[in-house]
């Protein structure tokens, strides 16, 4: 039987093995908030016309996919967009469990109950688990497919440029600008 020195917990006075924070596991769980860096309010984008959700954070090159309300697919999309949640980063909380909290469909809010885990004390390897709620605000943004359907006219333009100067610098400069923008179709 090995014997080791014990000290009193600085909060409750229970005899513990010495560690960096000089607290017992129960007091450490009460005092440390491992959900501090995790976002509690996020945005999810929905196309109002077709009912598809955006897989990224609303950027122009975003992909929209069908997902039912409170489905596993929508849960996975939302979890990817939570900032601060450990995605293989050292010293970040890792996700243990996630489940939906029911909200009214007309409230445009989605709530997820998260259980996260983080190692707090390096010496004793104390794992702390805490629950938190992350709320998603559903905002509308029209997807590219629905935008094309709603626009009645699509403009096609043919431009012909002529120049009566000996040098061709102006035409070369114009051609370079068109190639940089990549909005061209050069025809002979």
């Amino acid at each position: 039987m090995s014997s080791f020195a014990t000290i009193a917990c600085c909060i409750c006075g229970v005899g513990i093995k010495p560690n960096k924070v000089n607290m017992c596991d129960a007091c450490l769980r009460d005092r440390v908030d491992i959900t501090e860096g995790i976002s509690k309010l996020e945005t999810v984008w929905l196309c109002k016309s077709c009912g598809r959700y955006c897989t990224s954070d609303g950027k122009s090159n975003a992909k929209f996919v069908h997902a039912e309300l409170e489905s596993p697919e929508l849960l996975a999309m939302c979890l990817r967009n939570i900032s601060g949640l450990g995605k293989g980063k050292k010293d970040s909380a890792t996700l243990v469990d996630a489940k939906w909290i029911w909200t009214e469909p007309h409230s445009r809010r989605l709530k997820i109950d998260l259980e996260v885990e983080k190692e707090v004390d390096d010496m004793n390897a104390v794992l702390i688990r805490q629950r938190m709620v992350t709320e998603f605000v559903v905002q509308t943004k029209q997807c590219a497919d629905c935008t094309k359907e709603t626009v009645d006219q699509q403009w096609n333009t043919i431009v012909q440029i002529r120049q009566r100067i000996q040098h061709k610098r102006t035409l070369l400069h114009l051609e370079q600008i068109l190639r940089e923008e990549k909005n061209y179709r050069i025809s002979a």
Side-chain angles (χ1 to χ4, degrees), residues 140-159:
T140 57
K141 178 183 180 182
Q142 202 169 29
C143 66
D145 297 335
C146 292
T147 304
K148 288 177 186 174
E149 287 179 10
T150 56
V151 175
D152 293 338
Q153 302 172 356
Q154 296 222 353
W155 292 69
N156 292 325
T157 315
I158 297 175
V159 177

Side-chain angles (χ1 to χ4, degrees), residues 32-47:
V32 177
D33 183 22
I34 62 171
T35 64
E36 189 176 335
I38 301 172
S39 175
K40 292 173 179 49
L41 184 66
E42 290 284 338
T43 303
V44 65
W45 296 95
L46 169 72
C47 178

Side-chain angles (χ1 to χ4, degrees), residues 48-68:
K48 201 171 187 179
S49 304
C50 62
R52 296 187 298 173
Y53 288 92
C54 183
T55 57
S56 66
D57 54 359
K59 295 187 175 132
S60 60
N61 58 355
K63 181 180 172 188
F64 284 79
V65 294
H66 285 283
E68 291 295 318

Side-chain angles (χ1 to χ4, degrees), residues 7 16-25 121 123-124 126:
I7 62 168
I16 59 167
K17 185 178 173 183
N19 57 29
K20 288 182 182 177
V21 289
N22 293 332
M23 281 191 237
C24 65
D25 295 347
D121 186 15
M123 203 157 98
N124 290 339
V126 177

Side-chain angles (χ1 to χ4, degrees), residues 9-138:
C9 173
C10 64
I11 306 295
C12 65
V14 173
I16 59 167
K17 185 178 173 183
N19 57 29
K20 288 182 182 177
V21 289
N22 293 332
M23 281 191 237
C24 65
D25 295 347
C27 292
L28 194 60
R29 284 188 190 96
D30 291 341
R31 301 277 190 262
V32 177
D33 183 22
I34 62 171
T35 64
E36 189 176 335
I38 301 172
S39 175
K40 292 173 179 49
L41 184 66
E42 290 284 338
T43 303
V44 65
W45 296 95
L46 169 72
C47 178
K48 201 171 187 179
S49 304
C50 62
R52 296 187 298 173
Y53 288 92
C54 183
T55 57
S56 66
D57 54 359
K59 295 187 175 132
S60 60
N61 58 355
K63 181 180 172 188
F64 284 79
V65 294
H66 285 283
E68 291 295 318
L69 200 60
E70 298 186 2
S71 67
E73 296 86 17
L74 185 58
L75 182 65
M77 275 192 287
C78 290
L79 290 175
R80 271 186 250 127
N81 290 337
I82 296 176
S83 60
L85 198 58
K87 296 173 177 95
K89 298 176 187 170
K90 190 175 171 34
D91 295 334
S92 62
T94 56
L95 180 67
V96 176
D97 187 29
K99 59 184 175 184
W100 290 108
I101 298 174
W102 187 82
T103 56
E104 292 285 340
H106 65 273
S107 70
R108 295 219 174 260
R109 302 263 192 252
L110 302 172
K111 289 186 178 183
I112 301 176
D113 182 26
L114 302 173
E115 185 176 353
V116 292
E117 178 180 79
K118 184 177 180 181
E119 187 175 313
V120 176
D121 186 15
D122 296 332
M123 203 157 98
N124 290 339
V126 177
L127 281 175
I128 296 179
R129 281 190 179 190
Q130 287 182 347
R131 297 194 88 72
M132 67 173 286
V133 174
T134 300
E135 185 174 339
F136 285 86
V137 179
V138 179

